[in-house]
Amino acid sequence: MAVHDKVRTIGPSGLEVLDIAVSRQSTVEIKEPRDILALTRRLNGVKLDVVEDPNFAGLKLRQTIPWGSVRASGSEGLRIVYRVRTGRDVTGDPEF
């Protein structure tokens, strides 16, 4: 359904929510900085899941009911440039 390029800066908590998906599949891919963030997913609004790839995370439709999210942890002030794909635009494979 959509492809969005976004920029966020990690705040004092060391965590930044990159995407929240409600009943739709989505992926988050980090453009920069590569290989230094820790990504986690919140599945079905409850279960926390650590993502092995520090540059790419995906949420399947069933994982986003009632909602799912992807967040990054890193040092305060770190600028993150990333791409979010949703709906029919989700490829399932990293682009960068």
Side-chain angles (χ1 to χ4, degrees):
M1 288 205 188
V3 179
H4 299 285
D5 290 327
K6 299 182 177 185
V7 178
R8 294 271 163 82
T9 302
I10 294 182
S13 68
L15 293 172
E16 189 67 31
V17 175
L18 303 180
D19 185 48
I20 296 176
V22 179
S23 301
R24 63 174 166 81
Q25 63 180 345
S26 69
T27 59
V28 171
E29 185 168 8
I30 306 299
K31 288 181 167 182
E32 59 182 68
R34 302 282 289 177
D35 301 323
I36 66 169
L37 296 170
L39 297 179
T40 55
R41 302 184 303 176
R42 177 87 52 192
L43 308 177
N44 305 112
V46 179
K47 181 183 174 207
L48 191 65
D49 180 38
V50 176
V51 180
E52 292 183 21
D53 185 343
N55 302 313
F56 186 81
L59 292 165
K60 297 178 182 175
L61 176 63
R62 61 181 160 70
Q63 296 173 329
T64 65
I65 298 171
W67 60 271
S69 66
V70 176
R71 65 184 188 171
S73 57
S75 57
E76 180 181 357
L78 186 64
R79 183 175 175 264
I80 306 169
V81 180
Y82 64 102
R83 175 168 286 170
V84 176
R85 291 180 171 273
T86 61
R88 290 184 297 266
D89 289 312
V90 170
T91 62
D93 298 315
E95 183 178 1
F96 304 110

